[in-house]
Amino acid sequence: MQIVTERDVERAALAGTPLIIPPGAIVTPAARDRLRALERTGTRPSGNGVSPVSPLAPAATPLEPAADDLIGPLTDFVALPLERIPRDVLEFAAVLLLDCLAVGAAGRVAEGTPGLVAALRASSRGHAPVIGFPDRLAAPDAALANGALIHSTEFDPAFEAGLIHPMAGAAPAALAAAAEARIADGRALLAALAIAGEVACRVSAAARGVPTIYRCGAMGAFAGVAAGARLGSLDRAATRHAFGIAASLGAPCWQPHVEGSSVHGALPGFGARSGLLAVALARQGSTGPANILEGPSGYYQTYEGGCWERERALDGLGERWLLLDSEIKPYPAGRLTHGPIDGMLELRAEGLRAEDIASVVIECSAVIAERTGRLPPPDASLVHQRLSVPFTAAQALLHGRLGLGEIRNGAAADPLVRDMMARIEVRAAPDIPPGAFVPVRLAVRTRSGAVLQREVTRLRGSPARPLSREERLAKVAHCWSFAGLPAWRTPDALIRAVEALPDGGTVDRLMAALPVASDRERAR
């Protein structure tokens, strides 16, 4: 399969010749962006009808809007009776919730989150809690705050098939809506969380185009509507309007990711906030577009290159849960960096040390190489550090781990880190599917001339290689410690409260166990 790169586009533009793209070829995200830039200036190379092509697969045929937009069946799914939600789904929702709450606690000391909470505190009052803070805010504002807290460290659960973090919008929306509606039954909370996450998974998995937005943030809005409508007992007609309203409120662009801006971590929270606001508006009679997903100017046409596969969203809906394929992340870094991190840690466990290495070549997919293969500058933000294969792989090798403490201000300027990063080359391999997370191949040449090779075919935390309960609880303890909570606040009560939810544990017990520190405690 041929890959069309940015260099191919530049050569065609300079030569003034048509850009010929063979059938089935893949246009990389960088090449797609360059094509669009040339089109805006009127100098786009002519050719055989180039259009954005997914890094996940060859482009699907753009579809005409269905008789009933895809949002219709998803609206029905929101009201799925509790007794039809399998026990294993509720239990896994509890696992995801505990992970989010722990990661959210760590997020209270992340870039931008204290300021965000302070800004919301100045104008918002309500019943919904904020993880790690004593505040109670209006539900939409609490969803924004908690979405930022959960996602800001890049440590929250991921869903590979949709390239999203489904819980970053679903968990904060469900928590806020449950608090506002005074929900008592823990199973009701878990059901809303599972359904909200499943909606996000299915809408994102159906997309087959190159997203022009940060998809994770957009999915936060769909998840927010699902959680808010279910817990708020919104009727079907109003729920469908709420989906249309939420998806009309705007979607976040990729530029914060590109520039490493701290607002990047808050984007799913903004989506969750939009979802809950849309529910409130629909309850008061506001209307939204009915064909928000498959309409001629709907979500898929506007943001996904007009390419989607309806069946991927509907197949087994209510019977087979895509949410179960969500991954508990072992490292606080972009999921695209995890294959190289896994490989480096495996080699280090076998005795490899930084001083032994002459060079490292990492072969991976085009999406990994283009989006995370960059070498961060010495003053790299924490966002840039988390989204860089050279940085995260170097830190993993130097420290034998990649935890929250290895992502810190000034780390990219450390001479040892820069020296190690300079020896790492990240390459897109033509034989690896361009949107794949695995395989990832490492070839390490030692100073003695030996070559050590490692191929990662299963990521830690994935369904094929899940974290054990002990590993998941160790992550909770790590996040709790990093958050700097008072010594007398331990995660034990939170763990017990969350694990009791599938058996009818109460939401009040959960809320009482949330990690909370006052401003005075945070300053110590």
Side-chain angles (χ1 to χ4, degrees):
M1 182 182 295
Q2 181 175 334
I3 299 176
V4 179
T5 68
E6 185 179 16
R7 182 175 297 179
D8 297 324
V9 178
E10 290 291 353
R11 280 200 296 262
L14 289 172
T17 58
L19 178 63
I20 305 300
I21 299 180
I26 297 299
V27 180
T28 67
R32 175 209 66 204
D33 292 343
R34 186 61 181 144
L35 281 168
R36 287 177 175 153
L38 291 171
E39 184 179 44
R40 286 195 297 270
T41 62
T43 57
R44 177 176 177 171
S46 59
N48 57 344
V50 176
S51 62
V53 181
S54 172
L56 297 174
T61 302
L63 302 177
E64 293 297 324
D68 183 19
D69 190 271
L70 178 56
I71 205 63
L74 292 175
T75 299
D76 294 334
F77 174 68
V78 169
L80 186 72
L82 177 60
E83 58 270 19
R84 288 187 54 192
I85 302 177
R87 168 80 183 194
D88 64 329
V89 172
L90 294 179
E91 289 178 344
F92 191 61
V95 168
L96 295 173
L97 177 59
L98 178 60
D99 189 70
C100 286
L101 294 175
V103 169
R108 75 190 194 88
V109 294
E111 284 181 301
T113 55
L116 174 63
V117 173
L120 293 171
R121 177 189 301 141
S123 59
S124 182
R125 296 290 185 275
H127 302 289
V130 178
I131 303 168
F133 292 85
D135 304 273
R136 290 292 185 271
L137 305 178
D141 295 327
L144 166 56
N146 288 328
L149 290 161
I150 289 168
H151 191 55
S152 60
T153 58
E154 277 285 347
F155 216 179
D156 50 313
F159 176 64
E160 182 178 328
L163 289 177
I164 64 166
H165 297 253
M167 291 294 104
L175 281 172
E180 184 176 68
R182 308 297 175 91
I183 300 297
D185 187 352
R187 290 170 298 183
L189 170 61
L190 293 181
L193 179 61
I195 283 175
E198 185 72 5
V199 167
C201 288
R202 287 184 173 268
V203 173
S204 63
R208 309 304 289 160
V210 176
T212 59
I213 54 167
Y214 183 54
R215 188 184 284 163
C216 183
M219 292 306 104
F222 290 103
V225 169
R230 184 179 178 92
L231 291 171
S233 301
L234 202 63
D235 65 41
R236 185 190 187 280
T239 298
R240 183 157 181 164
H241 282 302
F243 275 124
I245 294 168
S248 302
L249 296 180
C253 65
W254 272 105
Q255 202 60 28
H257 181 285
V258 172
E259 296 189 19
S261 307
S262 63
V263 73
H264 170 79
L267 298 181
F270 278 106
R273 182 178 188 270
S274 294
L276 293 186
L277 283 174
V279 168
L281 289 170
R283 191 184 302 281
Q284 296 300 320
S286 293
T287 62
N291 298 318
I292 194 59
L293 285 177
E294 298 180 287
S297 296
Y299 173 82
Y300 289 123
Q301 292 286 3
T302 303
Y303 299 125
E304 301 287 356
C307 296
W308 72 99
E309 295 179 13
R310 180 182 175 90
E311 295 75 16
R312 289 172 64 89
L314 294 180
D315 184 33
L317 181 63
E319 302 295 334
R320 182 175 60 85
W321 291 74
L322 300 185
L323 184 69
L324 295 176
D325 290 332
S326 297
E327 305 168 341
I328 304 294
K329 294 173 69 173
Y331 316 117
R335 192 60 168 160
L336 293 174
T337 71
H338 284 213
I341 297 169
D342 280 344
M344 279 294 199
L345 289 176
E346 290 173 12
L347 289 170
R348 193 183 194 280
E350 296 172 6
L352 181 67
R353 295 295 183 268
E355 57 269 22
D356 302 327
I357 295 175
S359 65
V360 180
V361 175
I362 298 174
E363 290 190 329
C364 55
S365 66
V367 70
I368 293 176
E370 291 201 359
R371 292 193 177 174
T372 61
R374 56 185 176 267
L375 188 73
D379 61 348
S381 70
L382 302 188
V383 175
H384 267 158
Q385 292 177 27
R386 297 185 188 101
L387 301 175
S388 167
V389 165
F391 176 82
T392 53
Q395 285 288 70
L397 183 68
L398 288 166
H399 298 280
R401 62 180 182 276
L402 189 79
L404 292 159
E406 281 65 61
I407 310 291
R408 64 182 188 279
N409 288 322
D414 185 311
L416 290 176
V417 178
R418 297 212 69 78
D419 177 64
M420 187 63 243
M421 287 194 296
R423 287 177 268 163
I424 297 175
E425 179 185 358
V426 183
R427 297 178 183 170
D431 64 316
I432 296 177
F437 286 55
V438 290
V440 171
R441 297 190 289 262
L442 286 75
V444 179
R445 184 174 297 278
T446 68
R447 297 192 187 278
S448 66
V451 176
L452 306 176
Q453 296 185 330
R454 182 57 47 97
E455 183 174 33
V456 177
T457 59
R458 298 180 301 161
L459 297 182
R460 283 190 66 215
S462 68
R465 194 181 171 191
L467 299 186
S468 66
R469 181 174 186 273
E470 291 71 24
E471 289 174 317
R472 290 188 275 105
L473 294 184
K475 177 181 175 180
V476 171
H478 173 54
C479 291
W480 204 273
S481 174
F482 184 81
L485 293 165
W488 56 270
R489 293 188 188 275
T490 70
D492 296 343
L494 179 65
I495 294 169
R496 290 193 296 269
V498 173
E499 292 185 340
L501 293 176
D503 295 311
T506 67
V507 175
D508 283 346
R509 179 183 177 188
L510 170 68
M511 297 296 185
L514 290 177
V516 176
S518 69
D519 289 341
R520 180 176 299 176
E521 288 170 329
R522 287 194 300 112
R524 289 176 182 172

